[in-house]
Amino acid sequence: MDDAAELGAKVFVFWGGREGVETDAPKSALDSIKHTRDALNFFCEYVIDNGYDLKLALEPKPNEPRGDLYFPTVGSMLALIATLDHPERVGVNPEVAHEHMAGLNFMHAVAQAWDAGKLFHIDLNDQLFGRYDQDFRFGAVMIKQAFHLVKFLEDVGYSGSRHFDAHAYRTADTADVKAFAKGCMRTYLILKEKAAQFNADAEIQALLAEIHADSGDQADVLGRYSREAAAKLKAINYDRAALAKRSLPYERLDQLTVELLLGVR
Ligand SMILES: [Mn+2]
């Protein structure tokens, strides 16, 4: 932390999960949670006491590789942060591969972190579900997920670091490692262009407008609770057949997304 502050870093990625827990026999889970909280509170006080302009970004991961890690997902880490003494100093560093190891939708996790004001940093790479840490080149295996992630980051105007935490294939020589690093950046930028294309595509936007069409007839029961709103909600007679007739062309929209990614639009 001293070095990070001296070098002018604003975000300290806290990778605290090396090795993980291989057996639950020796220790209390509640103690382990408490020790982690105490340590993070200690570090935050150290940063404040030294006047450092430094925030912590916690990086969750489910297992490493055979041991279990506490706070295994972005959602779990966000819940921990809310219990700290200085939650404003602490956010998350979500990593594609880590959420994919748990079979989760990474973009949803990133969106929740963003919504909470906690997306301090991000680790981009790629990973199939159900495997240990693969750390592939960004966009190497799950293009559609990578596209929706990039689209989210660009649409909301994420201005933090786009950090690639990935590893080239074991066969790579120096030139191939450079191609790997370039590939991570190229794929991000290509998907950024695809996101702009998605947002400008008239047919795609027309389908979205159709999907989001809202007569406004239930506006007074949406939003905050009131006794009146609850009474109105209970009094609505939903016509199942009429609701089912409404067109929801998700298949057409998704196919257009795939065609856009395949370069035929
Ligand atoms: Mn990482």
Side-chain angles (χ1 to χ4, degrees):
M1 282 176 163
D2 295 335
D3 292 342
E6 190 179 334
L7 292 168
K10 303 290 180 205
V11 176
F12 185 98
V13 169
F14 192 90
W15 169 231
R18 187 77 194 149
E19 308 311 346
V21 175
E22 294 182 310
T23 166
D24 284 324
K27 298 210 176 151
S28 150
L30 288 176
D31 284 347
S32 299
I33 291 164
K34 183 180 178 299
H35 289 159
T36 305
R37 182 185 297 113
D38 288 348
L40 291 170
N41 285 335
F42 188 99
F43 292 138
C44 283
E45 292 290 352
Y46 183 78
V47 166
I48 293 165
D49 195 27
N50 283 277
Y52 294 157
D53 180 20
L54 197 59
K55 288 183 166 184
L56 301 187
L58 312 181
E59 182 172 339
K61 184 175 185 179
N63 51 280
E64 175 60 309
R66 70 177 194 176
D68 295 320
L69 304 190
Y70 281 92
F71 317 106
T73 62
V74 171
S76 180
M77 211 56 107
L78 289 172
L80 169 70
I81 290 168
T83 71
L84 299 176
D85 290 345
H86 298 282
E88 72 287 351
R89 289 223 163 236
V90 187
V92 289
N93 176 46
E95 174 169 325
V96 178
H98 296 174
E99 300 295 299
H100 281 195
M101 284 167 69
L104 299 174
N105 184 314
F106 183 66
M107 188 270 281
H108 292 186
V110 169
Q112 193 183 352
W114 177 263
D115 177 72
K118 294 297 183 191
L119 189 61
F120 289 4
H121 199 269
I122 193 164
D123 275 4
L124 303 169
N125 55 19
D126 212 351
Q127 163 94 22
L128 291 168
F129 284 1
R131 302 289 191 91
Y132 289 154
D133 219 0
Q134 291 180 309
D135 286 345
F136 285 136
R137 188 181 73 257
F138 181 61
V141 289
M142 294 176 79
I143 288 281
K144 203 161 133 188
Q145 285 83 349
F147 167 71
H148 285 297
L149 170 66
V150 171
K151 184 173 181 302
F152 177 84
L153 293 173
E154 296 301 321
D155 282 351
V156 299
Y158 170 74
S159 62
S161 166
R162 279 130 175 104
H163 176 245
F164 298 101
D165 185 3
H167 300 281
Y169 300 133
R170 290 177 182 209
T171 43
D173 59 12
T174 303
D176 214 30
V177 168
K178 287 181 180 172
F180 148 84
K182 199 172 171 184
C184 284
M185 293 184 274
R186 271 182 64 74
T187 299
Y188 187 97
L189 293 172
I190 290 165
L191 292 175
K192 181 179 171 181
E193 277 188 22
K194 295 287 183 186
Q197 198 187 335
F198 181 100
N199 291 339
D201 187 304
E203 196 177 349
I204 286 173
Q205 292 308 310
L207 285 175
L208 282 170
E210 183 182 342
I211 289 164
H212 294 156
D214 182 0
S215 63
D217 61 350
Q218 292 184 44
D220 52 356
V221 299
L222 298 172
R224 293 194 72 84
Y225 170 81
S226 69
R227 284 185 183 173
E228 295 71 31
K232 279 183 188 169
L233 182 61
K234 287 201 235 177
I236 294 173
N237 185 21
Y238 287 103
D239 182 345
R240 186 200 60 77
L243 286 170
K245 276 191 189 132
R246 185 180 161 191
S247 166
L248 289 172
Y250 289 10
E251 284 288 358
R252 280 152 63 202
L253 177 62
D254 192 77
Q255 178 63 23
L256 291 181
T257 307
V258 169
E259 291 182 12
L260 187 147
L261 292 177
L262 291 175
V264 295
R265 281 189 77 73

